[in-house]
Amino acid sequence: MNSIILLKNAEIFAPTSLGRQDLVIAGRTIAAIGEDFNLASSNLPVTVLDCTDYYLTPGFVDSLVHFIGGGGEGGFATRTPEMQLTDATLAGVTTAIGVLGTDATTRTLTNLLAKAHALEIEGISTYCHTGSYEIPCRTLTGSITDDLILIDKFIGVGEIAISDHRSSQPTTDELRKVAAAARVGGMLAGKGGVVSVHVGAGERILQPLYQAVSGTELRVKQFYPTHMNRNRRVFEAGIEFTKKGGVIDFTTSTTAYDLRHGEVAAAAALAEALYLGVSAMQLTLSSDGNASLPLYNDDGELQGLQVGQVQSLYQSFREAVVQHQVPLANALTSVTAAPAAILGLKQKGQISAGLDADVLLIRREDMQLDTVIAKGRMLVQRGAALCRSTFEPEN
Ligand code: ZN
């Protein structure tokens, strides 16, 4: 199925601007970038696309997705469904990192891994974190370090919950041990070995992470806190964290209720953090796709649950550019180069010869997603999915 694709005259953002160039994909790889490539005289089976009206960008890296669903906080009937291939591809996501969540009893790492393999076969690139919200961590081998070294798809741990009523209320020592195991496992396996941290609405915010690092050789960069746009206080704690060298993640799935009650929209959070001088490489957006989003009325009573959408990642990226005037290269960095670097995914998140051919074409006139190529395969064209999960309904 993979062949040679020549993308002509695209305005390339790698995510930094490379100007107008041609790009050749051969098999699963970006083979070359340059000017006036001409394969017309060859008899190679080449697909040629005129990209004059498009930005060509890296495929998005979504650092937090509940592949097999999550939730359950309102009982069994509130467990959320699995994601499907087009949830990712129609959002421009060509690399996704799967996690468990609150529930590591009825949701398991074996099931998560199986789903990651399914999505990989269906067309995108997938990785997972071992563990879940709780410490002691659920693992496959009995050890975080062993999981990272022995299981290809595991690249980190988490999302470990802190400052949240749903967390296991981990002690400082417990957090230290998890970070140390992730660090050593990551080093020995040549992986990122990051600890993804779910930050709740509790008063302590990032205090548990500072306490874990204090008096040790650990650095704050070992931790990758998410939901840092949950409210104004959490956002400001996140900015402080970046000043100490940390990286932070903003969640794009949200509800109107949350936005009315203090959540900072991810696009606005990104714009403000950049305005405050934080480096784009310290800021990421992730979807929290297929998580449960509790829906309350204005009296704070639970009215039901919505499900987080991977699609929100693209919407927030577009909102950052169109409504908040975030420079395209910076907005792209938060969904491509930054998460890839933080997670240690060297073949992902950039446009460069020799890297995986994960490429998007975005219409210049309205910033709508037109084409998605993942590992050299065209999965979306003219905004429509060409491939679906095996049992995904047509709609
Ligand atoms: Zn979370």
Side-chain angles (χ1 to χ4, degrees):
M1 281 291 286
N2 292 324
S3 61
I4 300 170
I5 305 173
L6 171 56
L7 299 144
K8 291 287 295 175
N9 199 33
E11 190 169 349
I12 300 179
F13 281 82
T16 50
S17 172
L18 300 184
R20 279 205 179 270
Q21 302 208 55
D22 297 348
L23 183 146
V24 179
I25 293 170
R28 298 164 56 110
T29 306
I30 298 171
I33 302 166
E35 284 174 24
D36 297 323
F37 288 150
N38 185 358
L39 299 175
S41 57
S42 80
N43 57 0
L44 292 166
V46 182
T47 304
V48 182
L49 298 180
D50 173 13
C51 300
T52 307
D53 298 329
Y54 298 92
Y55 297 120
L56 186 157
T57 78
F60 288 6
V61 177
D62 192 342
S63 64
L64 197 84
V65 185
H66 298 273
F67 289 164
I68 56 172
E73 288 99 330
F76 292 114
T78 62
R79 298 167 81 256
T80 62
E82 280 194 3
M83 70 170 278
Q84 306 281 3
L85 180 67
T86 65
D87 293 333
T89 56
L90 291 174
V93 172
T94 54
T95 301
I97 289 74
V99 295
L100 297 179
T102 318
D103 176 4
T105 302
T106 76
R107 312 281 189 179
T108 63
L109 289 171
T110 48
N111 193 1
L112 184 69
L113 263 184
K115 180 69 181 183
H117 281 291
L119 290 165
E120 183 87 42
I121 292 164
E122 289 163 354
I124 62 171
S125 299
T126 56
Y127 303 90
C128 301
H129 290 325
T130 187
S132 63
Y133 267 27
E134 67 201 50
I135 303 179
C137 287
R138 306 279 175 145
T139 66
L140 276 189
T141 62
S143 145
I144 291 168
T145 307
D146 289 3
D147 272 14
L148 288 178
I149 295 171
L150 299 175
I151 298 165
D152 284 351
K153 283 208 176 290
F154 284 162
I155 58 168
V157 189
E159 46 173 328
I160 305 287
I162 62 168
S163 304
D164 193 296
H165 61 99
R166 292 165 291 180
S167 84
S168 61
Q169 309 303 332
T171 64
T172 299
D173 199 47
E174 283 178 324
L175 280 171
R176 281 180 182 153
K177 294 276 191 245
V178 167
R183 175 162 184 78
V184 173
M187 281 178 0
L188 294 177
K191 297 175 178 175
V194 83
V195 182
S196 164
V197 179
H198 160 107
V199 181
E203 291 290 316
R204 292 175 293 168
I205 315 180
L206 297 176
Q207 217 50 50
L209 303 187
Y210 293 125
Q211 287 164 354
V213 168
S214 166
T216 75
E217 290 74 33
L218 294 167
R219 313 240 303 262
V220 289
K221 269 192 102 166
Q222 196 69 41
F223 296 103
Y224 185 15
T226 187
H227 314 317
M228 296 308 295
N229 53 325
R230 180 183 292 285
N231 59 44
R232 194 77 216 163
R233 286 180 50 250
V234 171
F235 172 79
E236 283 164 6
I239 299 299
E240 278 306 306
F241 195 67
T242 62
K243 288 181 184 160
K244 295 177 167 64
V247 296
I248 55 172
D249 182 64
F250 301 128
T251 301
T252 60
S253 283
T254 189
T255 65
Y257 176 88
D258 288 326
L259 292 173
R260 278 202 310 277
H261 288 79
E263 183 168 323
V264 186
L270 177 67
E272 187 174 345
L274 289 166
Y275 174 78
L276 292 171
V278 181
S279 159
M281 287 300 283
Q282 290 174 282
L283 301 166
T284 68
L285 306 183
S286 69
S287 72
D288 206 10
N290 291 56
S292 64
L293 303 175
L295 209 60
Y296 300 97
N297 66 16
D298 285 341
D299 293 327
E301 294 161 346
L302 187 68
Q303 298 295 293
L305 291 166
Q306 286 185 355
V307 178
Q309 303 291 336
V310 180
Q311 187 64 41
S312 66
L313 190 68
Y314 193 85
Q315 290 160 359
S316 293
F317 153 76
R318 187 174 177 277
E319 196 180 311
V321 175
V322 174
Q323 290 177 27
H324 298 279
Q325 284 76 51
V326 172
L328 181 55
N330 283 347
L332 280 170
T333 296
S334 73
V335 287
T336 60
I342 293 162
L343 296 164
L345 304 176
K346 297 182 182 68
Q347 287 297 108
K348 302 297 185 184
Q350 295 190 64
I351 298 294
S352 181
L355 299 191
D356 287 351
D358 299 335
V359 169
L360 309 184
L361 295 178
I362 296 171
R363 278 207 305 256
R364 288 159 50 92
E365 64 168 338
D366 58 6
M367 292 295 295
Q368 295 292 348
L369 180 61
D370 183 275
T371 299
V372 177
I373 299 170
K375 293 181 281 182
R377 256 178 82 203
M378 192 102 64
L379 299 182
V380 173
Q381 203 169 18
R382 286 181 282 281
L386 303 179
C387 301
R388 292 179 180 277
S389 283
T390 311
F391 300 108
E392 182 176 358
E394 297 269 347
N395 48 351

